[in-house]
Amino acid sequence: MADSVVDALTPQRFVEVLRSKVTSATVLDEATRDLDLDAFVLFSSLSGVVGTPGQGNYAAANSALDALASRRRAAGLPAVSIAWGPWAGGGMADEAIMARHRRSGVLPMSPERAAAAMRLAVDHGQVRPIVVDVDWERFVPAFTGPRTNHLFDVVHEPSRPAVSSDALRERLAGLGGPERVRALEDLVCGTAAAVLGHARADAVEPTWAFRELGFDSLMAVELRNGLGAATDLSLPATVVFDHVTPAALAQRLLVELFPDEAGEQVDDVETRTRRALAEIPLQRLRDAGLLDTLLKLADSDGQPLLTEQTEIADSIDTMDADSLMRLVQGDFAAHQLSEGNQS
């Protein structure tokens, strides 16, 4: 199954899925129209109803099956297109997709229960039933994020999260600057750990890089949705890759949540970072494995690399906050990891 995120889809990816799902069903429809069938059952998917990350072409193909069933019923012919959730016991979803489903609250069904549901759908004459095992308390917040969505109001009464965004803001407002930053780092790390499938919230450290943790574009959207639901902020889908580490992302949340106060705290961090880097002896930068990266950052205009410590200190004054934080958090953490592997 040629699954893909939307911005990576190609005509060929669509052709591969449409041929196996839609073309074959259309041929079967045309070949049996003159027969007196008792049932005409199509296997569609939940992805065609709500959309599944990474399955843009597969979702389109299954929506076409649903349309085919509706067309047959309008013509007085038997048809049912069942939008299946994942099956257990060797279904089509691989382990990576199954793990993503579980995190979002879509649980694998036993084949016995799925088969019984199919018989009920056919016997009751439904056209486009959905058969899926859903943990609504997990699925709805993950699916909707901070935005308003009434798609599931009929089957699920939305409940407020255990800790609402208002309660979070009130708790953060009562904290001092450093404690507030740590609380936001805990929020980002805990949400990231849940997306990665870790049982413990402290399985992710604030200085670890998201890419090194294995985050892909789909996980980034899950993390964005989780943080958006917790903070009631509208965050871009690229927010994870715009910020190297959970600590850097926590600073972004701080600025969004407390714009009037966060500027002073961020400026203070930037000032202390510049001062600290300017005061570090050249040899210590070299021993720590930071010198080459620092020189590359300073060489943004193509001029010869700096070699004197005083010139390095001057270049630090021209760096922006993001460059400084990436240098200190990302590269230092990577160097520490490298040293640990060598030992």
Side-chain angles (χ1 to χ4, degrees):
M1 188 163 54
D3 297 341
S4 179
V5 291
V6 171
D7 60 0
L9 286 174
T10 63
Q12 184 59 34
R13 286 181 178 269
F14 271 105
V15 168
E16 291 173 4
V17 176
L18 292 175
R19 181 186 298 118
S20 61
K21 296 283 290 189
V22 183
T23 303
S24 58
T26 301
V27 170
L28 186 62
D29 166 46
E30 295 173 351
T32 60
R33 280 187 165 247
D34 294 333
L35 302 179
D36 186 19
L37 297 179
D38 293 326
F40 186 92
V41 183
L42 299 168
F43 275 32
S44 181
S45 170
L46 181 67
S47 66
V49 180
V50 300
T52 302
Q55 296 184 327
N57 48 351
Y58 188 61
N62 285 288
S63 294
L65 292 187
D66 297 340
L68 176 59
S70 295
R71 187 179 70 179
R72 282 184 58 92
R73 290 294 285 270
L77 299 171
V80 56
S81 180
I82 303 176
W84 293 106
W87 285 39
M92 293 179 62
D94 60 27
E95 284 302 318
I97 295 176
M98 197 69 80
R100 189 187 311 142
H101 281 315
R102 288 193 183 95
R103 290 198 304 271
S104 65
V106 179
L107 309 177
M109 299 175 289
S110 69
E112 294 78 12
R113 293 186 66 189
M118 178 173 63
R119 178 174 291 278
L120 287 174
V122 173
D123 290 345
H124 284 75
Q126 298 188 25
V127 184
R128 298 182 305 277
I130 302 171
V131 181
V132 61
D133 187 0
V134 178
D135 179 349
W136 293 108
E137 296 302 323
R138 293 176 59 190
F139 177 78
V140 172
F143 178 79
T144 61
R147 66 186 186 276
T148 301
N149 190 297
H150 299 292
L151 181 60
F152 301 104
D153 285 358
V154 175
V155 293
H156 171 72
E157 181 179 353
S159 60
R160 294 183 63 84
V163 179
S164 68
S165 58
D166 290 340
L168 175 65
R169 289 172 185 255
E170 290 178 7
R171 183 169 70 86
L172 292 173
L175 299 176
E179 291 79 11
R180 185 181 295 170
V181 171
R182 281 196 293 272
L184 286 170
E185 288 178 350
D186 289 343
L187 172 64
V188 176
C189 289
T191 307
V195 170
L196 291 167
H198 296 302
R200 295 176 51 185
D202 60 356
V204 173
E205 293 292 334
T207 56
W208 293 353
F210 286 114
R211 290 190 183 275
E212 293 178 1
L213 288 168
F215 266 79
D216 57 23
S217 59
L218 300 180
M219 291 180 175
V221 172
E222 289 185 53
L223 179 57
R224 185 278 304 268
N225 289 347
L227 293 176
T231 61
D232 200 27
L233 293 175
S234 180
L235 301 170
T238 59
V239 70
V240 171
F241 300 122
D242 293 339
H243 302 81
V244 179
T245 64
L249 181 49
Q251 287 289 338
R252 162 69 177 270
L253 298 181
L254 178 66
V255 173
E256 295 271 0
L257 291 169
F258 302 96
D260 295 335
E261 303 174 34
E264 299 179 2
Q265 298 178 29
V266 173
D267 289 343
D268 185 52
V269 171
E270 182 175 336
T271 300
R272 287 187 285 111
T273 303
R274 293 185 188 278
R275 185 183 302 117
L277 287 174
E279 294 175 355
I280 296 175
L282 182 60
Q283 188 58 45
R284 289 187 63 186
L285 289 172
R286 182 179 288 110
D287 292 342
L290 296 173
L291 182 59
D292 288 343
T293 300
L294 179 60
L295 294 177
K296 289 177 182 177
L297 287 172
D299 187 39
S300 59
D301 59 356
Q303 298 300 316
L305 291 178
L306 303 175
T307 57
E308 297 295 330
Q309 182 180 355
T310 55
E311 292 177 309
I312 293 175
D314 291 340
S315 71
I316 290 172
D317 289 334
T318 66
M319 294 183 192
D320 57 25
D322 286 343
S323 296
L324 289 167
M325 296 308 294
R326 282 197 295 269
L327 174 66
V328 174
Q329 295 173 339
D331 293 304
F332 182 72
H335 173 70
Q336 292 293 93
L337 179 62
S338 175
E339 282 193 342
N341 291 336
Q342 293 174 2
S343 61

